[in-house]
Amino acid sequence: MASHVTHPGTRRRIMFDEALPVDHRLNRVYRIGAALMGLFLLAFGILGLTNNIGFFDTGGNTAIGLNTNGALSVLSICVGVLLFVGMVIGGNFASTLNMVLGVLFILNGFLFLGLLDTDSNFLAFRIQNVLFSFVVGIVLMVFGMYGRVSTNLPHDNPYWRARHPEAEQRAITSGDQVR
């Protein structure tokens, strides 16, 4: 049983209010989450590359307590740079990027959990890498979902307004504003 009413044909895009100040708390959370994870991934990737290990070597080289090889180091640097780009852009882009990368980290953890101790483990994952992938995925998703997903979002939240167009329409017809 659905707890909400569907409105066929009245689908609206969720958009941030362009009048929000640059230092709005949602924007800060998205940027901080992207920066923290990006910084760690960059450090991990750079330290992995400085070990001069093979690109697809699965010999058990470590950096910051995690197994690595050249491919995983380069991939970590690329994702870290992408998260820093999200930090610079901020807003809805950073939020969506954090959520998408969080889901990808979790899926990657499940994928390499199945590939442990096989010849197909081309990124040299061990169990600590899998657990790290799960933790980073959850942290990125939490940072990305902050202010977007909740049962009690404030009524001036752009996501609440997009999910409750009837309340906004009632406010407009009665002369009030839902902002």
Side-chain angles (χ1 to χ4, degrees):
M1 177 177 267
S3 62
H4 63 280
V5 179
T6 59
H7 302 279
T10 61
R11 195 146 174 120
R12 294 177 14 161
R13 292 183 51 95
I14 297 174
M15 298 180 67
F16 266 113
D17 185 1
E18 297 300 324
L20 288 176
V22 176
D23 63 342
H24 191 272
R25 69 182 170 101
L26 291 178
N27 195 21
R28 260 183 288 159
V29 171
Y30 304 148
R31 286 178 176 214
I32 289 170
L36 290 175
M37 292 299 112
L39 181 65
F40 186 84
L41 289 172
L42 275 173
F44 172 71
I46 291 170
L47 289 173
L49 284 179
T50 59
N51 288 340
N52 294 328
I53 53 179
F55 201 69
F56 290 112
D57 183 27
T58 58
N61 296 310
T62 62
I64 315 178
L66 300 170
N67 279 28
T68 188
N69 62 13
L72 182 58
S73 295
V74 169
L75 184 62
S76 296
I77 290 172
C78 291
V79 173
V81 167
L82 184 61
L83 283 167
F84 270 110
V85 168
M87 178 198 68
V88 170
I89 295 173
N92 205 15
F93 177 78
S95 171
T96 303
L97 179 69
N98 285 346
M99 286 193 302
V100 168
L101 287 178
V103 169
L104 290 177
F105 265 95
I106 290 173
L107 292 175
N108 182 55
F110 280 120
L111 172 69
F112 280 95
L113 182 63
L115 295 178
L116 288 177
D117 297 328
T118 66
D119 293 335
S120 300
N121 187 2
F122 61 93
L123 292 180
F125 264 50
R126 299 287 181 257
I127 193 67
Q128 63 266 27
N129 296 73
V130 171
L131 294 174
F132 174 77
S133 188
F134 288 147
V135 169
V136 168
I138 290 171
V139 168
L140 281 173
M141 285 177 47
V142 166
F143 274 122
M145 290 182 187
Y146 180 79
R148 288 181 89 159
V149 180
S150 176
T151 57
N152 57 352
L153 292 173
H155 293 238
D156 65 341
N157 186 295
Y159 299 105
W160 186 91
R161 288 194 317 253
R163 291 183 193 130
H164 301 89
E166 68 283 349
E168 188 170 12
Q169 187 61 34
R170 276 194 312 265
I172 291 170
T173 57
S174 68
D176 296 334
Q177 250 185 332
V178 181
R179 296 199 188 257

